[in-house]
Amino acid sequence: MCGIAGYIGGGDSTAIVEDGLSNLEYRGYDSAGVAFVGERLTVEKQTGTIDGIDIPTNNDISQGIGHTRWSTHGEPTDANAHPHTDCTSSVAVVHNGIISNYDDLKAELGGHVFESETDTEVVPHLIEEELTAGYDFVPAVRRATDQLKGSYAIAVTHADKAKLVVARQDSPLVVGHGEEGMYIGSDVTAFAEFTQRVSYLEDGDLAVIADDDVTVYNDGQQVSRPIRQVDWDTSAAEKAGHDHYMHKEIHEQPHALRQALSGRINDLEGTVDLDIDIEGTFGDCEFVEIIACGTSYHAGLCAKRFLESHTDLAVSVNIASEYEPAHPHRATDTVALAITQSGETADTLAALRDAKAVGMRTVAVTNTVGSTVTREVDESLFIRAGPEIGVAATKTFVSQVATLTLLAVAVGQHRGTLSAGEATDLLESVQALPSAVQSILDTEAEIRETAEDHADGEAFFFIGRQLGHPVALESALKLKEISYDHAEGFPSGELKHGPLALVTPNTPVIAFLTDATDPRETLHNAKEVESRGAPVIGLSTLADADTYCAETIDIPEIGVLEPMVANVAMQLFAYHVAKLKDRNIDKPRNLAKSVTVQ
Ligand code: F6R
């Protein structure tokens, strides 16, 4: 995730902003930059690490902003790094989030010179327009941000003004109140070493920050945001207060999902716009061959269900290391769809090259702009989850599935195979995901108790039908990789064909009992294991699941994607089982985040 740090006051501005950026390095980034105001505005930025930036040393500098960028629009290049400036080099802007209407705004800004491919660069030019029209700095920023759609935390500095202006919508921004100046940060980590007196901005806030005070406006009215004393352990700062990156990333899922969806759904028309050539890629194909490994393979299994239910395409899902083109003689009718968080997995790249070699069109669904896969495919679709540092994939799985749901809607609509009602159901379900996931995160204390009750199980079995099946596989993978316990996922109906022999009173069975996954059938299978003494944990939207379940975790009703919400409960379950066993959660034994060998 991108990071913002900033300062205005009598302290050593350049050192404070540089330290702030270093404190934010834990978020992951591919480029970084700073803007300082002294006698003039100085901007320094580049790809790579903060250390490489030429930080100015002049002592007339009294304010500055800095940014660490994780690319979402445009490759990681020097030009795409923040800050971005206007045509007069008077205004500099850093931004976290996604401005979803930047294409339209850019088209309206004819005559302005753009130097990057980013969505952010429209902001300084919009501010410049308002300044040229005669507005002062603060109203100019307000009038510019009023035109933005999407999510943003923005910090703006001006060559001639002794103030910073910041604004927030769906992306966090905090203000630090120090003895010698005021700080800004995308989280407290940015400045906790300098001050722990903090006010949190809210959506719609625009704040004017001088060296000794802050004035906050919302919807044109002055509002007050209380100053709180936070007790911030700076040694835990890099994980933003979480014990592990995995825990932090589990909790980032509502935000990651909002980023995945931002600007891609037209609610009025019920359509999807994905920035890829749907007609050229899927317009006349017949087959889709999905290629992926591990968690990404499970996302592929989910995608197959959506694509086959809502399009006339024949879809296969292939473990990349096993892949052979299924229809080499029909290659021009086939799309190879590689799903890879890192974009660097050797097995996936090798399979993709095989698909290309026989002449298939290629698409990557990935988290990593500029990764190897994006350089080798015809089209890249980004999941926008932000960097994932824990080895176990969490937020990238849910972001992959959300993005692939949108892809299924786009392809189904384009091919005329998806009815308006089906599209509405899918889009409503995917848009309900962020809040539903948050509601599960809010029940973490209860899920931890469930983990404590069952951590000593000999083995764990996860059962589900339809979309509940790939999610059962994914939940089992998460538990086995971080707790080192034996865990398996099965289609519920398969238990009685063999695995039931493994079931004992010491093998917890976790059942996915959500609405669109034939929960009554799975409940019957739960009865089969319950009668053999196994404790059943039901992840359920059913009112009567406790008939056969020793415990139930209620899943909010959001339609077809309910299993994805249940999956988050199982990520927390796996996390707490592993924590109780004192496992190396972020770096489980024998595993690597990016598997670059075949
Ligand atoms: C599991 C996990 C792995 C990856 C797999 C593919 O938690 O992270 O199974 O999903 O190695 O990695 P990507 O998606 O980067 O190709």
Side-chain angles (χ1 to χ4, degrees):
M1 295 277 177
C2 305
I4 290 176
Y7 175 74
I8 179 165
D12 183 347
S13 304
T14 52
I16 291 169
V17 172
E18 195 180 5
D19 275 5
L21 291 183
S22 302
N23 294 337
L24 293 170
E25 281 193 297
Y26 76 91
R27 296 164 77 104
Y29 65 107
D30 49 44
S31 39
V34 291
F36 290 108
V37 174
E39 277 175 14
R40 58 191 176 82
L41 179 72
T42 310
V43 174
E44 297 289 343
K45 56 185 190 169
Q46 64 158 41
T47 50
T49 62
I50 297 157
D51 298 343
I53 297 176
D54 191 8
I55 302 281
T57 49
N58 23 338
N59 50 18
D60 62 338
I61 289 171
S62 58
Q63 58 174 295
I65 54 178
H67 190 258
T68 51
R69 175 173 187 249
W70 167 266
S71 308
T72 56
H73 281 79
E75 304 260 319
T77 61
D78 292 354
N80 288 341
H82 300 205
H84 292 285
T85 51
D86 66 328
C87 299
T88 67
S89 297
S90 304
V91 175
V93 173
V94 293
H95 162 226
N96 287 358
I98 293 172
I99 294 164
S100 53
N101 60 336
Y102 82 101
D103 264 342
D104 296 340
L105 293 170
K106 206 166 176 175
E108 288 165 19
L109 285 164
H112 287 256
V113 179
F114 288 87
E115 290 175 353
S116 78
E117 303 159 284
T118 63
D119 51 340
T120 305
E121 201 184 355
V122 295
V123 182
H125 292 283
L126 286 172
I127 297 169
E128 180 190 353
E129 279 283 297
E130 302 299 339
L131 290 168
T132 309
Y135 291 96
D136 202 357
F137 180 40
V138 177
V141 176
R142 184 180 52 73
R143 289 175 64 85
T145 54
D146 280 351
Q147 298 172 58
L148 306 179
K149 292 191 179 138
S151 61
Y152 53 82
I154 285 171
V156 191
T157 188
H158 188 293
D160 304 324
K161 306 288 175 188
K163 59 185 81 151
L164 299 172
V165 182
V166 301
R168 157 188 175 146
Q169 182 65 45
D170 282 335
S171 190
L173 201 54
V174 286
V175 179
H177 302 248
E179 299 282 314
E180 279 204 331
M182 304 288 285
Y183 303 79
I184 56 170
S186 40
D187 65 49
V188 179
T189 322
F191 53 71
E193 64 179 291
F194 303 111
T195 181
Q196 304 203 343
R197 295 180 67 238
V198 174
S199 50
Y200 294 88
L201 297 186
E202 295 182 11
D203 282 345
D205 281 358
L206 179 140
V208 181
I209 302 174
D211 56 6
D212 58 356
D213 71 356
V214 52
T215 314
V216 186
Y217 303 91
N218 194 304
D219 209 9
Q221 305 296 316
Q222 191 170 335
V223 291
S224 93
R225 300 292 172 229
I227 300 175
R228 301 173 204 277
Q229 179 72 37
V230 294
D231 188 11
W232 196 258
D233 171 6
T234 45
S235 67
E238 58 175 18
K239 296 186 188 97
H242 295 267
D243 286 345
H244 298 92
Y245 284 112
M246 182 185 178
H247 193 255
K248 171 176 155 285
E249 287 154 6
I250 289 172
H251 280 264
E252 283 173 351
Q253 289 178 111
H255 180 67
L257 280 163
R258 288 194 182 97
Q259 295 234 114
L261 305 181
S262 178
R264 288 175 160 174
I265 300 174
N266 181 331
D267 281 320
L268 283 180
E269 292 176 14
T271 53
V272 165
D273 179 3
L274 286 177
D275 278 345
I276 63 167
D277 179 6
I278 297 285
E279 162 56 22
T281 312
F282 294 98
D284 63 355
C285 80
E286 285 186 41
F287 308 102
V288 174
E289 295 187 4
I290 295 176
I291 299 165
C293 309
T295 293
S296 295
Y297 171 75
H298 298 151
L301 293 174
C302 298
K304 174 182 163 75
R305 300 202 77 86
F306 299 136
L307 283 167
E308 288 196 329
S309 305
H310 302 298
T311 75
D312 50 352
L313 295 166
V315 183
S316 65
V317 192
N318 301 270
I319 292 202
S321 55
E322 292 289 314
Y323 176 71
E324 284 174 27
H327 308 281
H329 53 294
R330 304 283 306 274
T332 50
D333 297 329
T334 308
V335 173
L337 179 71
I339 305 174
T340 166
Q341 182 283 128
S342 61
E344 303 293 347
T345 301
D347 287 331
T348 306
L349 291 172
L352 188 69
R353 287 168 194 149
D354 289 345
K356 268 178 85 169
V358 295
M360 291 183 199
R361 279 163 272 183
T362 51
V363 180
V365 175
T366 184
N367 195 28
T368 317
V369 178
S371 57
T372 304
V373 79
T374 62
R375 295 196 291 274
E376 301 200 8
V377 290
D378 300 319
E379 296 285 342
S380 295
L381 178 56
F382 295 103
I383 64 168
R384 303 173 176 170
E388 190 173 65
I389 294 165
V391 163
T394 51
K395 62 177 178 171
T396 54
F397 176 61
V398 75
S399 300
Q400 284 170 333
V401 175
T403 308
L404 289 159
T405 307
L406 297 188
L407 181 67
V409 173
V411 176
Q413 287 182 329
H414 188 81
R415 294 175 74 95
T417 51
L418 180 73
S419 70
E422 287 171 322
T424 304
D425 287 350
L426 280 169
L427 293 179
E428 282 183 356
S429 193
V430 81
Q431 286 177 296
L433 259 181
S435 310
V437 166
Q438 185 59 56
S439 73
I440 286 295
L441 296 174
D442 294 342
T443 64
E444 179 167 5
E446 287 109 88
I447 296 170
R448 187 178 57 231
E449 279 176 26
T450 305
E452 283 164 3
D453 290 347
H454 297 284
D456 291 336
E458 265 167 27
F460 298 80
F461 302 121
F462 295 79
I463 58 171
R465 286 167 191 264
Q466 302 186 11
L467 197 64
H469 174 230
V471 175
L473 297 178
E474 171 58 14
S475 300
L477 176 63
K478 221 71 331 171
L479 182 62
K480 78 177 79 157
E481 67 185 324
I482 63 167
S483 75
Y484 314 154
D485 283 309
H486 180 205
E488 295 294 334
F490 300 110
S492 316
E494 273 296 290
L495 269 190
K496 57 187 175 296
H497 298 289
L500 203 51
L502 298 171
V503 168
T504 73
N506 205 18
T507 57
V509 175
I510 295 98
F512 289 84
L513 299 165
T514 54
D515 262 351
T517 61
D518 278 347
R520 295 268 155 220
E521 294 295 326
T522 299
L523 203 55
H524 286 140
N525 306 124
K527 179 171 181 292
E528 288 157 14
V529 297
E530 188 247 13
S531 63
R532 284 156 181 86
V536 180
I537 303 165
L539 300 159
S540 181
T541 51
L542 300 177
D544 58 346
D546 51 2
T547 321
Y548 301 120
C549 299
E551 284 170 57
T552 53
I553 295 171
D554 291 335
I555 303 302
E557 293 184 32
I558 62 155
V560 68
L561 289 169
E562 284 158 5
M564 298 309 301
V565 187
N567 175 63
V568 173
M570 288 302 95
Q571 292 171 346
L572 288 171
F573 178 80
Y575 173 80
H576 285 292
V577 170
K579 198 170 175 200
L580 283 165
K581 296 183 179 187
D582 205 20
R583 303 301 191 217
N584 189 352
I585 291 179
D586 282 332
K587 290 189 179 144
R589 69 182 179 206
N590 308 335
L591 300 180
K593 182 70 185 160
S594 203
V595 187
T596 53
V597 289
Q598 276 182 268

